[in-house]
Amino acid sequence: MPAWFTPERMTWLFRVNPALKFAVFLLLLFITLFNRNLPLAAWLAVLSAILLYGFSGYSAKKLALLSIPIALSFASSFITMALFGKGDTVLWQWGIFKISEESIRHGLLLGTKSLSFGFTGFAFLLTVEPVLFFYAMMQQFRLPSKYAYSFIASIRLLPVIAEEIQVRSNALKVRGITFSRGVRGVGERIRSYTVPLFAQSIRRAQRIAIAMEAKQYQMGAARTYFYSTSYSRHDAIFLAVMAVSVAAVFWLSFGVPY
Amino acid sequence: MKKLTFTDLLITIMVGVVFGILMKFWDDLYTAIKPVLPVARQLLYGMWFMNGVFAFLLIRKPGVALIASIAGAGLSAFIGHGLGVLIYGAAQGLAAELLFAAFRYRKFSIPFAGLAGVASCAASFGLDLIYGYADLETWALIVKYGLRAVSAFIFTGVFAVLVIRALEATGVTNSIRPVAKEEYSLLDR
């Protein structure tokens, strides 16, 4: 992770077991995905906003920067749905654009859902160490080590791949390569970037796998771990807090008349 | 059935991760033209279905399409698209995987690769229906997802197969593909 992604302070969210945190947040996302109730969507967005802004431990400036794409996705899903969504109580119509009460309501639902998705996603990603996440997945959730180590190895190589894309892009520029217009051009562009990129990545992956097996890495063999992760009292607190908050969100959405 | 070796798995996940990065660059392009050219935007959408199909065409073993798709989506999630894409990635990969499984993992040509892309597209449409993205006026729905399906076919069928052929020409695929029956029979001659 680049240095930019270091929090100002370590909050309790950092100390929660990463795999457990992942499971709970994924559950939140599934509730958001299947939900069609506007108050519930809005309160879920509030809950995830509290998690992100209150407990991620990042400075307000960084959080504001990170919020820009989330705000954009709110705006774009709201506007598209408001203009093109289904609805009978028409408020305004001009050519193919038609705004109705239903479409506005639906747009708001979509918008708040994308807010929840964005906030929850960042609340997780900003408070998790990728390598420890995979170690916790192996130790607490029994993810087979072959998947976890493959991911860790691939993530380690990200900077190399990003650099290769840059080099390729410069090389094409220096050689004065131009692409055709339209679909053919898209195809040419994809081909000229992906072929060298994948050829290199495949060879590299193969070398790493052979090196690991040469050092006696075996799929499915019992093993010990360099970083040991476990459950702690922070996890109990986290589960309790999340259970109470989700219950509160449901009560606010369905128990309170509007 | 041919099982995945550790080398296969590492290559699969690496391919997924590289796609994750490519999708990041693609996303920048996509976002730039999103407001101005809604039609072109749907036509570029097929890139998001390429990952699983491409990995399967490369390695030609069961499970590859699903794993690569999840890996790519996982990387996208980690570099800032949020955990939501993980759900989409898993569904799309599963759809492509099921399509290849339906042909017993033996078809690698343009129509089948394209169909797998369209299956991924259908899976993402299913999730959009659940999420609520698809509650559009009927004409808008048909235009949006129709174009998207066409794009899925072009990207996963035509582009992925062509890139794979170019990779085959480099020789890099020889060492990773399972040995076919015909190649064994060559030994008997």
Side-chain angles (χ1 to χ4, degrees), chain A residues 29 33-34 36 81 84 86 98 106 110 113-114 117 125 150 157-158 187 190 198 205-206 209 213, chain B residues 6 10 13-14 17-19 21 71 77 83-84 129-132 135-137 155 159 163 167 175:
Chain A
L29 287 183
L33 178 71
F34 284 101
R36 283 302 182 92
M81 192 43 77
F84 301 110
K86 268 192 242 170
K98 185 179 87 182
H106 212 103
L110 272 192
K113 278 177 156 197
S114 42
F117 264 62
L125 298 171
S150 301
L157 291 171
L158 282 184
I190 289 180
F198 279 112
Q206 206 170 12
E213 283 183 327
Chain B
F6 182 63
L10 192 58
I13 289 180
M14 186 78 84
V17 165
V18 172
F19 257 106
I21 302 178
L83 294 178
L129 266 182
I130 296 171
Y131 191 95
D135 288 5
L136 299 165
E137 285 290 343
F155 273 82
F159 292 165
V163 170
L167 274 177
S175 54

mmCIF file of all heavy atoms in Angstrom, chain A residues 29 33-34 36 81 84 86 98 106 110 113-114 117 125 150 157-158 187 190 198 205-206 209 213, chain B residues 6 10 13-14 17-19 21 71 77 83-84 129-132 135-137 155 159 163 167 175:
data_model
loop_
_atom_site.group_PDB
_atom_site.id
_atom_site.type_symbol
_atom_site.label_atom_id
_atom_site.label_comp_id
_atom_site.label_asym_id
_atom_site.label_seq_id
_atom_site.Cartn_x
_atom_site.Cartn_y
_atom_site.Cartn_z
ATOM 1 N N LEU A 29 -23.488 -5.626 2.645
ATOM 2 C CA LEU A 29 -23.641 -5.358 1.213
ATOM 3 C C LEU A 29 -24.778 -6.184 0.627
ATOM 4 O O LEU A 29 -25.521 -5.703 -0.229
ATOM 5 C CB LEU A 29 -22.339 -5.668 0.466
ATOM 6 C CG LEU A 29 -21.206 -4.686 0.663
ATOM 7 C CD1 LEU A 29 -20.021 -5.074 -0.183
ATOM 8 C CD2 LEU A 29 -21.644 -3.282 0.304
ATOM 9 N N LEU A 33 -27.938 -4.923 -1.286
ATOM 10 C CA LEU A 33 -28.210 -5.374 -2.654
ATOM 11 C C LEU A 33 -29.671 -5.778 -2.812
ATOM 12 O O LEU A 33 -30.343 -5.374 -3.766
ATOM 13 C CB LEU A 33 -27.290 -6.550 -2.986
ATOM 14 C CG LEU A 33 -27.452 -7.188 -4.363
ATOM 15 C CD1 LEU A 33 -26.929 -6.256 -5.431
ATOM 16 C CD2 LEU A 33 -26.699 -8.502 -4.437
ATOM 17 N N PHE A 34 -30.197 -6.562 -1.881
ATOM 18 C CA PHE A 34 -31.544 -7.103 -2.042
ATOM 19 C C PHE A 34 -32.633 -6.152 -1.572
ATOM 20 O O PHE A 34 -33.797 -6.364 -1.857
ATOM 21 C CB PHE A 34 -31.666 -8.439 -1.292
ATOM 22 C CG PHE A 34 -30.997 -9.569 -2.014
ATOM 23 C CD1 PHE A 34 -29.745 -10.019 -1.629
ATOM 24 C CD2 PHE A 34 -31.616 -10.157 -3.107
ATOM 25 C CE1 PHE A 34 -29.121 -11.043 -2.317
ATOM 26 C CE2 PHE A 34 -30.992 -11.186 -3.789
ATOM 27 C CZ PHE A 34 -29.738 -11.632 -3.402
ATOM 28 N N ARG A 36 -35.265 -3.185 -1.190
ATOM 29 C CA ARG A 36 -36.003 -2.285 -2.073
ATOM 30 C C ARG A 36 -36.756 -1.207 -1.306
ATOM 31 O O ARG A 36 -37.650 -0.561 -1.834
ATOM 32 C CB ARG A 36 -37.015 -3.099 -2.916
ATOM 33 C CG ARG A 36 -36.413 -3.863 -4.078
ATOM 34 C CD ARG A 36 -35.703 -2.901 -5.002
ATOM 35 N NE ARG A 36 -35.137 -3.577 -6.165
ATOM 36 C CZ ARG A 36 -35.786 -3.712 -7.313
ATOM 37 N NH1 ARG A 36 -37.001 -3.268 -7.439
ATOM 38 N NH2 ARG A 36 -35.202 -4.306 -8.321
ATOM 39 N N MET A 81 -31.642 7.094 -13.361
ATOM 40 C CA MET A 81 -32.911 6.468 -13.002
ATOM 41 C C MET A 81 -34.042 7.483 -13.021
ATOM 42 O O MET A 81 -35.137 7.193 -13.509
ATOM 43 C CB MET A 81 -32.774 5.819 -11.622
ATOM 44 C CG MET A 81 -33.895 4.905 -11.221
ATOM 45 S SD MET A 81 -34.491 3.796 -12.497
ATOM 46 C CE MET A 81 -33.220 2.566 -12.522
ATOM 47 N N PHE A 84 -34.806 8.123 -16.903
ATOM 48 C CA PHE A 84 -35.235 7.033 -17.775
ATOM 49 C C PHE A 84 -36.030 5.949 -17.052
ATOM 50 O O PHE A 84 -36.406 4.957 -17.654
ATOM 51 C CB PHE A 84 -34.016 6.389 -18.456
ATOM 52 C CG PHE A 84 -33.225 7.362 -19.282
ATOM 53 C CD1 PHE A 84 -31.970 7.774 -18.872
ATOM 54 C CD2 PHE A 84 -33.731 7.862 -20.464
ATOM 55 C CE1 PHE A 84 -31.231 8.679 -19.616
ATOM 56 C CE2 PHE A 84 -33.004 8.765 -21.213
ATOM 57 C CZ PHE A 84 -31.753 9.171 -20.799
ATOM 58 N N LYS A 86 -38.929 3.788 -14.941
ATOM 59 C CA LYS A 86 -40.363 3.534 -15.114
ATOM 60 C C LYS A 86 -41.156 4.433 -14.182
ATOM 61 O O LYS A 86 -40.718 4.730 -13.083
ATOM 62 C CB LYS A 86 -40.653 2.080 -14.730
ATOM 63 C CG LYS A 86 -40.587 1.113 -15.873
ATOM 64 C CD LYS A 86 -41.179 -0.207 -15.426
ATOM 65 C CE LYS A 86 -40.143 -1.293 -15.491
ATOM 66 N NZ LYS A 86 -40.531 -2.530 -14.874
ATOM 67 N N LYS A 98 -38.170 11.563 -19.137
ATOM 68 C CA LYS A 98 -39.445 11.601 -18.441
ATOM 69 C C LYS A 98 -39.193 11.419 -16.954
ATOM 70 O O LYS A 98 -38.674 10.406 -16.527
ATOM 71 C CB LYS A 98 -40.348 10.490 -18.967
ATOM 72 C CG LYS A 98 -41.742 10.520 -18.388
ATOM 73 C CD LYS A 98 -42.598 9.416 -18.968
ATOM 74 C CE LYS A 98 -42.417 8.154 -18.164
ATOM 75 N NZ LYS A 98 -43.187 7.020 -18.694
ATOM 76 N N HIS A 106 -37.239 5.974 -7.057
ATOM 77 C CA HIS A 106 -36.346 4.874 -7.396
ATOM 78 C C HIS A 106 -34.898 5.337 -7.533
ATOM 79 O O HIS A 106 -33.963 4.653 -7.139
ATOM 80 C CB HIS A 106 -36.811 4.232 -8.698
ATOM 81 C CG HIS A 106 -36.533 2.795 -8.727
ATOM 82 N ND1 HIS A 106 -37.500 1.858 -8.512
ATOM 83 C CD2 HIS A 106 -35.375 2.133 -8.897
ATOM 84 C CE1 HIS A 106 -36.947 0.678 -8.548
ATOM 85 N NE2 HIS A 106 -35.660 0.808 -8.778
ATOM 86 N N LEU A 110 -31.670 3.980 -5.512
ATOM 87 C CA LEU A 110 -30.409 3.555 -6.134
ATOM 88 C C LEU A 110 -29.241 4.372 -5.609
ATOM 89 O O LEU A 110 -28.168 3.842 -5.319
ATOM 90 C CB LEU A 110 -30.477 3.769 -7.642
ATOM 91 C CG LEU A 110 -31.042 2.654 -8.483
ATOM 92 C CD1 LEU A 110 -30.745 2.959 -9.929
ATOM 93 C CD2 LEU A 110 -30.396 1.349 -8.090
ATOM 94 N N LYS A 113 -28.321 3.396 -2.173
ATOM 95 C CA LYS A 113 -27.657 2.092 -2.203
ATOM 96 C C LYS A 113 -26.205 2.239 -2.633
ATOM 97 O O LYS A 113 -25.309 1.610 -2.056
ATOM 98 C CB LYS A 113 -28.371 1.166 -3.188
ATOM 99 C CG LYS A 113 -29.597 0.499 -2.646
ATOM 100 C CD LYS A 113 -30.223 -0.327 -3.740
ATOM 101 C CE LYS A 113 -31.066 -1.439 -3.199
ATOM 102 N NZ LYS A 113 -31.337 -2.462 -4.200
ATOM 103 N N SER A 114 -25.943 3.094 -3.651
ATOM 104 C CA SER A 114 -24.544 3.203 -4.069
ATOM 105 C C SER A 114 -23.729 3.925 -2.997
ATOM 106 O O SER A 114 -22.530 3.672 -2.870
ATOM 107 C CB SER A 114 -24.388 3.854 -5.446
ATOM 108 O OG SER A 114 -25.223 4.936 -5.591
ATOM 109 N N PHE A 117 -22.798 1.126 -0.635
ATOM 110 C CA PHE A 117 -21.753 0.306 -1.238
ATOM 111 C C PHE A 117 -20.403 1.003 -1.112
ATOM 112 O O PHE A 117 -19.419 0.393 -0.712
ATOM 113 C CB PHE A 117 -22.069 0.056 -2.725
ATOM 114 C CG PHE A 117 -22.754 -1.253 -2.978
ATOM 115 C CD1 PHE A 117 -23.995 -1.513 -2.436
ATOM 116 C CD2 PHE A 117 -22.164 -2.225 -3.762
ATOM 117 C CE1 PHE A 117 -24.634 -2.715 -2.662
ATOM 118 C CE2 PHE A 117 -22.784 -3.444 -3.996
ATOM 119 C CZ PHE A 117 -24.027 -3.691 -3.442
ATOM 120 N N LEU A 125 -11.767 -1.343 3.261
ATOM 121 C CA LEU A 125 -10.449 -1.318 2.620
ATOM 122 C C LEU A 125 -9.457 -0.436 3.354
ATOM 123 O O LEU A 125 -8.263 -0.723 3.380
ATOM 124 C CB LEU A 125 -10.590 -0.827 1.178
ATOM 125 C CG LEU A 125 -11.452 -1.737 0.314
ATOM 126 C CD1 LEU A 125 -11.725 -1.104 -1.022
ATOM 127 C CD2 LEU A 125 -10.772 -3.084 0.159
ATOM 128 N N SER A 150 -1.394 -17.353 -3.836
ATOM 129 C CA SER A 150 -1.414 -16.861 -5.213
ATOM 130 C C SER A 150 -1.811 -15.396 -5.243
ATOM 131 O O SER A 150 -1.229 -14.588 -5.974
ATOM 132 C CB SER A 150 -2.396 -17.660 -6.063
ATOM 133 O OG SER A 150 -2.044 -19.009 -6.072
ATOM 134 N N LEU A 157 3.210 -8.186 -7.077
ATOM 135 C CA LEU A 157 3.738 -7.856 -8.401
ATOM 136 C C LEU A 157 3.013 -6.692 -9.067
ATOM 137 O O LEU A 157 3.340 -6.310 -10.187
ATOM 138 C CB LEU A 157 3.669 -9.087 -9.299
ATOM 139 C CG LEU A 157 4.652 -10.175 -8.874
ATOM 140 C CD1 LEU A 157 4.403 -11.436 -9.651
ATOM 141 C CD2 LEU A 157 6.078 -9.690 -9.084
ATOM 142 N N LEU A 158 2.011 -6.141 -8.373
ATOM 143 C CA LEU A 158 1.252 -5.041 -8.969
ATOM 144 C C LEU A 158 2.120 -3.900 -9.489
ATOM 145 O O LEU A 158 1.929 -3.450 -10.621
ATOM 146 C CB LEU A 158 0.255 -4.464 -7.948
ATOM 147 C CG LEU A 158 -1.012 -5.260 -7.715
ATOM 148 C CD1 LEU A 158 -1.916 -4.506 -6.763
ATOM 149 C CD2 LEU A 158 -1.714 -5.479 -9.036
ATOM 150 N N GLY A 187 -10.089 -2.911 -30.708
ATOM 151 C CA GLY A 187 -9.451 -4.220 -30.771
ATOM 152 C C GLY A 187 -7.944 -4.107 -30.876
ATOM 153 O O GLY A 187 -7.212 -4.795 -30.152
ATOM 154 N N ILE A 190 -6.469 -3.004 -27.519
ATOM 155 C CA ILE A 190 -6.445 -4.093 -26.540
ATOM 156 C C ILE A 190 -5.319 -5.063 -26.858
ATOM 157 O O ILE A 190 -4.538 -5.460 -25.991
ATOM 158 C CB ILE A 190 -7.802 -4.830 -26.530
ATOM 159 C CG1 ILE A 190 -8.866 -3.940 -25.904
ATOM 160 C CG2 ILE A 190 -7.698 -6.151 -25.775
ATOM 161 C CD1 ILE A 190 -10.224 -4.554 -25.854
ATOM 162 N N PHE A 198 0.461 -9.895 -20.970
ATOM 163 C CA PHE A 198 0.111 -11.230 -20.506
ATOM 164 C C PHE A 198 1.247 -12.216 -20.724
ATOM 165 O O PHE A 198 1.470 -13.091 -19.886
ATOM 166 C CB PHE A 198 -1.178 -11.725 -21.159
ATOM 167 C CG PHE A 198 -2.404 -11.169 -20.497
ATOM 168 C CD1 PHE A 198 -3.218 -10.281 -21.163
ATOM 169 C CD2 PHE A 198 -2.704 -11.514 -19.200
ATOM 170 C CE1 PHE A 198 -4.328 -9.750 -20.538
ATOM 171 C CE2 PHE A 198 -3.815 -10.990 -18.561
ATOM 172 C CZ PHE A 198 -4.631 -10.100 -19.240
ATOM 173 N N ALA A 205 4.439 -15.666 -13.496
ATOM 174 C CA ALA A 205 3.640 -16.481 -12.581
ATOM 175 C C ALA A 205 4.167 -17.910 -12.556
ATOM 176 O O ALA A 205 4.267 -18.541 -11.502
ATOM 177 C CB ALA A 205 2.173 -16.463 -12.999
ATOM 178 N N GLN A 206 4.529 -18.386 -13.753
ATOM 179 C CA GLN A 206 5.030 -19.748 -13.845
ATOM 180 C C GLN A 206 6.336 -19.904 -13.060
ATOM 181 O O GLN A 206 6.519 -20.878 -12.340
ATOM 182 C CB GLN A 206 5.260 -20.058 -15.321
ATOM 183 C CG GLN A 206 5.181 -21.503 -15.648
ATOM 184 C CD GLN A 206 5.182 -21.709 -17.138
ATOM 185 O OE1 GLN A 206 5.455 -20.800 -17.913
ATOM 186 N NE2 GLN A 206 4.876 -22.923 -17.557
ATOM 187 N N ALA A 209 5.586 -19.965 -9.338
ATOM 188 C CA ALA A 209 4.979 -21.232 -8.897
ATOM 189 C C ALA A 209 6.041 -22.315 -8.807
ATOM 190 O O ALA A 209 6.091 -23.078 -7.831
ATOM 191 C CB ALA A 209 3.875 -21.633 -9.862
ATOM 192 N N GLU A 213 7.220 -24.313 -5.431
ATOM 193 C CA GLU A 213 7.164 -25.765 -5.300
ATOM 194 C C GLU A 213 8.556 -26.351 -5.064
ATOM 195 O O GLU A 213 8.703 -27.346 -4.350
ATOM 196 C CB GLU A 213 6.485 -26.374 -6.531
ATOM 197 C CG GLU A 213 4.987 -26.177 -6.438
ATOM 198 C CD GLU A 213 4.198 -26.804 -7.553
ATOM 199 O OE1 GLU A 213 4.728 -26.855 -8.692
ATOM 200 O OE2 GLU A 213 3.064 -27.218 -7.308
ATOM 201 N N PHE B 6 -0.727 -26.133 -9.152
ATOM 202 C CA PHE B 6 -0.465 -24.860 -8.489
ATOM 203 C C PHE B 6 -0.039 -23.799 -9.510
ATOM 204 O O PHE B 6 -0.435 -22.641 -9.409
ATOM 205 C CB PHE B 6 0.602 -25.034 -7.401
ATOM 206 C CG PHE B 6 0.869 -23.761 -6.659
ATOM 207 C CD1 PHE B 6 -0.135 -23.158 -5.924
ATOM 208 C CD2 PHE B 6 2.111 -23.151 -6.718
ATOM 209 C CE1 PHE B 6 0.086 -21.970 -5.245
ATOM 210 C CE2 PHE B 6 2.346 -21.967 -6.039
ATOM 211 C CZ PHE B 6 1.335 -21.381 -5.306
ATOM 212 N N LEU B 10 -1.816 -20.193 -9.987
ATOM 213 C CA LEU B 10 -1.100 -18.922 -9.844
ATOM 214 C C LEU B 10 -1.234 -18.098 -11.126
ATOM 215 O O LEU B 10 -1.470 -16.888 -11.074
ATOM 216 C CB LEU B 10 0.370 -19.182 -9.506
ATOM 217 C CG LEU B 10 1.175 -17.964 -9.055
ATOM 218 C CD1 LEU B 10 0.544 -17.335 -7.834
ATOM 219 C CD2 LEU B 10 2.593 -18.341 -8.728
ATOM 220 N N ILE B 13 -4.807 -16.623 -11.278
ATOM 221 C CA ILE B 13 -5.018 -15.472 -10.401
ATOM 222 C C ILE B 13 -4.230 -14.269 -10.898
ATOM 223 O O ILE B 13 -4.708 -13.142 -10.884
ATOM 224 C CB ILE B 13 -4.691 -15.858 -8.942
ATOM 225 C CG1 ILE B 13 -5.791 -16.802 -8.454
ATOM 226 C CG2 ILE B 13 -4.592 -14.636 -8.051
ATOM 227 C CD1 ILE B 13 -5.658 -17.297 -7.058
ATOM 228 N N MET B 14 -3.019 -14.526 -11.424
ATOM 229 C CA MET B 14 -2.226 -13.427 -11.983
ATOM 230 C C MET B 14 -2.960 -12.782 -13.165
ATOM 231 O O MET B 14 -3.027 -11.560 -13.268
ATOM 232 C CB MET B 14 -0.865 -13.971 -12.424
ATOM 233 C CG MET B 14 0.107 -12.915 -12.878
ATOM 234 S SD MET B 14 0.835 -12.063 -11.500
ATOM 235 C CE MET B 14 2.162 -13.154 -11.091
ATOM 236 N N VAL B 17 -5.667 -10.662 -11.829
ATOM 237 C CA VAL B 17 -5.169 -9.425 -11.245
ATOM 238 C C VAL B 17 -4.746 -8.430 -12.332
ATOM 239 O O VAL B 17 -5.037 -7.236 -12.261
ATOM 240 C CB VAL B 17 -4.004 -9.741 -10.275
ATOM 241 C CG1 VAL B 17 -3.219 -8.504 -9.936
ATOM 242 C CG2 VAL B 17 -4.549 -10.376 -9.012
ATOM 243 N N VAL B 18 -4.086 -8.935 -13.390
ATOM 244 C CA VAL B 18 -3.702 -8.047 -14.490
ATOM 245 C C VAL B 18 -4.961 -7.446 -15.122
ATOM 246 O O VAL B 18 -5.004 -6.247 -15.424
ATOM 247 C CB VAL B 18 -2.868 -8.806 -15.548
ATOM 248 C CG1 VAL B 18 -2.637 -7.932 -16.757
ATOM 249 C CG2 VAL B 18 -1.537 -9.230 -14.967
ATOM 250 N N PHE B 19 -5.987 -8.260 -15.278
ATOM 251 C CA PHE B 19 -7.238 -7.718 -15.792
ATOM 252 C C PHE B 19 -7.807 -6.662 -14.857
ATOM 253 O O PHE B 19 -8.362 -5.664 -15.308
ATOM 254 C CB PHE B 19 -8.276 -8.826 -16.011
ATOM 255 C CG PHE B 19 -8.416 -9.188 -17.447
ATOM 256 C CD1 PHE B 19 -7.891 -10.369 -17.929
ATOM 257 C CD2 PHE B 19 -9.048 -8.329 -18.325
ATOM 258 C CE1 PHE B 19 -7.980 -10.693 -19.257
ATOM 259 C CE2 PHE B 19 -9.157 -8.646 -19.658
ATOM 260 C CZ PHE B 19 -8.624 -9.841 -20.125
ATOM 261 N N ILE B 21 -6.154 -4.567 -13.127
ATOM 262 C CA ILE B 21 -5.464 -3.305 -13.403
ATOM 263 C C ILE B 21 -5.922 -2.717 -14.724
ATOM 264 O O ILE B 21 -6.212 -1.526 -14.830
ATOM 265 C CB ILE B 21 -3.939 -3.518 -13.441
ATOM 266 C CG1 ILE B 21 -3.478 -4.096 -12.116
ATOM 267 C CG2 ILE B 21 -3.225 -2.216 -13.716
ATOM 268 C CD1 ILE B 21 -2.015 -4.374 -12.088
ATOM 269 N N ALA B 71 -10.761 -13.090 -8.862
ATOM 270 C CA ALA B 71 -9.477 -12.422 -8.592
ATOM 271 C C ALA B 71 -9.482 -11.005 -9.153
ATOM 272 O O ALA B 71 -9.060 -10.064 -8.479
ATOM 273 C CB ALA B 71 -8.331 -13.230 -9.192
ATOM 274 N N ALA B 77 -11.813 -4.283 -6.334
ATOM 275 C CA ALA B 77 -12.358 -3.861 -5.041
ATOM 276 C C ALA B 77 -11.257 -3.218 -4.207
ATOM 277 O O ALA B 77 -11.455 -2.158 -3.627
ATOM 278 C CB ALA B 77 -12.959 -5.055 -4.316
ATOM 279 N N LEU B 83 -16.390 -3.197 -2.307
ATOM 280 C CA LEU B 83 -16.610 -4.632 -2.241
ATOM 281 C C LEU B 83 -17.761 -5.085 -3.134
ATOM 282 O O LEU B 83 -17.891 -6.266 -3.444
ATOM 283 C CB LEU B 83 -16.917 -5.034 -0.799
ATOM 284 C CG LEU B 83 -15.761 -4.845 0.179
ATOM 285 C CD1 LEU B 83 -16.186 -5.215 1.572
ATOM 286 C CD2 LEU B 83 -14.580 -5.695 -0.248
ATOM 287 N N GLY B 84 -18.607 -4.158 -3.554
ATOM 288 C CA GLY B 84 -19.760 -4.530 -4.371
ATOM 289 C C GLY B 84 -19.362 -5.240 -5.660
ATOM 290 O O GLY B 84 -20.034 -6.184 -6.090
ATOM 291 N N LEU B 129 -31.094 -6.364 -11.881
ATOM 292 C CA LEU B 129 -32.535 -6.474 -11.619
ATOM 293 C C LEU B 129 -32.793 -6.469 -10.119
ATOM 294 O O LEU B 129 -33.689 -5.778 -9.637
ATOM 295 C CB LEU B 129 -33.073 -7.775 -12.197
ATOM 296 C CG LEU B 129 -33.672 -7.760 -13.597
ATOM 297 C CD1 LEU B 129 -34.174 -9.140 -13.951
ATOM 298 C CD2 LEU B 129 -34.800 -6.748 -13.694
ATOM 299 N N ILE B 130 -31.977 -7.270 -9.393
ATOM 300 C CA ILE B 130 -32.146 -7.347 -7.948
ATOM 301 C C ILE B 130 -31.824 -5.997 -7.309
ATOM 302 O O ILE B 130 -32.543 -5.494 -6.464
ATOM 303 C CB ILE B 130 -31.221 -8.441 -7.356
ATOM 304 C CG1 ILE B 130 -31.626 -9.813 -7.894
ATOM 305 C CG2 ILE B 130 -31.281 -8.432 -5.837
ATOM 306 C CD1 ILE B 130 -30.641 -10.911 -7.542
ATOM 307 N N TYR B 131 -30.744 -5.382 -7.782
ATOM 308 C CA TYR B 131 -30.273 -4.121 -7.210
ATOM 309 C C TYR B 131 -31.257 -2.995 -7.489
ATOM 310 O O TYR B 131 -31.491 -2.140 -6.658
ATOM 311 C CB TYR B 131 -28.907 -3.792 -7.811
ATOM 312 C CG TYR B 131 -28.167 -2.666 -7.148
ATOM 313 C CD1 TYR B 131 -27.217 -2.916 -6.168
ATOM 314 C CD2 TYR B 131 -28.391 -1.346 -7.521
ATOM 315 C CE1 TYR B 131 -26.530 -1.889 -5.572
ATOM 316 C CE2 TYR B 131 -27.708 -0.307 -6.914
ATOM 317 C CZ TYR B 131 -26.778 -0.586 -5.946
ATOM 318 O OH TYR B 131 -26.092 0.441 -5.349
ATOM 319 N N GLY B 132 -31.804 -3.008 -8.715
ATOM 320 C CA GLY B 132 -32.751 -1.949 -9.079
ATOM 321 C C GLY B 132 -32.294 -1.093 -10.252
ATOM 322 O O GLY B 132 -32.996 -0.187 -10.671
ATOM 323 N N ASP B 135 -34.803 -1.083 -13.534
ATOM 324 C CA ASP B 135 -36.194 -0.623 -13.581
ATOM 325 C C ASP B 135 -36.357 0.586 -14.489
ATOM 326 O O ASP B 135 -36.850 1.628 -14.095
ATOM 327 C CB ASP B 135 -36.681 -0.261 -12.157
ATOM 328 C CG ASP B 135 -36.880 -1.502 -11.323
ATOM 329 O OD1 ASP B 135 -36.558 -2.590 -11.827
ATOM 330 O OD2 ASP B 135 -37.362 -1.388 -10.186
ATOM 331 N N LEU B 136 -35.934 0.423 -15.741
ATOM 332 C CA LEU B 136 -35.973 1.536 -16.684
ATOM 333 C C LEU B 136 -37.204 1.408 -17.561
ATOM 334 O O LEU B 136 -37.866 0.378 -17.575
ATOM 335 C CB LEU B 136 -34.719 1.509 -17.569
ATOM 336 C CG LEU B 136 -33.387 1.637 -16.857
ATOM 337 C CD1 LEU B 136 -32.260 1.233 -17.781
ATOM 338 C CD2 LEU B 136 -33.181 3.058 -16.376
ATOM 339 N N GLU B 137 -37.504 2.472 -18.319
ATOM 340 C CA GLU B 137 -38.532 2.361 -19.358
ATOM 341 C C GLU B 137 -38.108 1.258 -20.311
ATOM 342 O O GLU B 137 -36.915 1.077 -20.563
ATOM 343 C CB GLU B 137 -38.654 3.700 -20.108
ATOM 344 C CG GLU B 137 -39.380 4.794 -19.344
ATOM 345 C CD GLU B 137 -40.868 4.532 -19.193
ATOM 346 O OE1 GLU B 137 -41.401 3.691 -19.945
ATOM 347 O OE2 GLU B 137 -41.488 5.138 -18.305
ATOM 348 N N PHE B 155 -16.175 -8.350 -27.145
ATOM 349 C CA PHE B 155 -14.982 -8.371 -26.305
ATOM 350 C C PHE B 155 -14.538 -9.797 -25.975
ATOM 351 O O PHE B 155 -13.381 -10.136 -26.106
ATOM 352 C CB PHE B 155 -15.222 -7.582 -25.015
ATOM 353 C CG PHE B 155 -14.934 -6.125 -25.154
ATOM 354 C CD1 PHE B 155 -15.870 -5.270 -25.699
ATOM 355 C CD2 PHE B 155 -13.718 -5.609 -24.758
ATOM 356 C CE1 PHE B 155 -15.606 -3.920 -25.839
ATOM 357 C CE2 PHE B 155 -13.434 -4.260 -24.898
ATOM 358 C CZ PHE B 155 -14.391 -3.422 -25.447
ATOM 359 N N PHE B 159 -12.347 -10.239 -29.423
ATOM 360 C CA PHE B 159 -11.087 -9.695 -28.900
ATOM 361 C C PHE B 159 -10.311 -10.736 -28.090
ATOM 362 O O PHE B 159 -9.114 -10.932 -28.294
ATOM 363 C CB PHE B 159 -11.345 -8.447 -28.044
ATOM 364 C CG PHE B 159 -11.841 -7.278 -28.833
ATOM 365 C CD1 PHE B 159 -12.422 -6.187 -28.205
ATOM 366 C CD2 PHE B 159 -11.729 -7.252 -30.221
ATOM 367 C CE1 PHE B 159 -12.883 -5.108 -28.928
ATOM 368 C CE2 PHE B 159 -12.192 -6.173 -30.957
ATOM 369 C CZ PHE B 159 -12.776 -5.102 -30.308
ATOM 370 N N VAL B 163 -6.604 -12.162 -29.047
ATOM 371 C CA VAL B 163 -5.436 -11.957 -28.173
ATOM 372 C C VAL B 163 -4.816 -13.306 -27.812
ATOM 373 O O VAL B 163 -3.596 -13.470 -27.821
ATOM 374 C CB VAL B 163 -5.826 -11.171 -26.898
ATOM 375 C CG1 VAL B 163 -4.679 -11.168 -25.901
ATOM 376 C CG2 VAL B 163 -6.200 -9.752 -27.249
ATOM 377 N N LEU B 167 -1.130 -14.683 -28.426
ATOM 378 C CA LEU B 167 -0.295 -15.234 -27.349
ATOM 379 C C LEU B 167 0.219 -16.618 -27.729
ATOM 380 O O LEU B 167 1.351 -16.980 -27.408
ATOM 381 C CB LEU B 167 -1.092 -15.329 -26.054
ATOM 382 C CG LEU B 167 -1.139 -14.085 -25.179
ATOM 383 C CD1 LEU B 167 -2.035 -14.323 -23.985
ATOM 384 C CD2 LEU B 167 0.247 -13.688 -24.715
ATOM 385 N N SER B 175 3.546 -24.191 -22.694
ATOM 386 C CA SER B 175 3.972 -24.852 -21.467
ATOM 387 C C SER B 175 2.879 -24.928 -20.421
ATOM 388 O O SER B 175 3.048 -25.569 -19.393
ATOM 389 C CB SER B 175 5.193 -24.126 -20.902
ATOM 390 O OG SER B 175 4.891 -22.762 -20.759
#
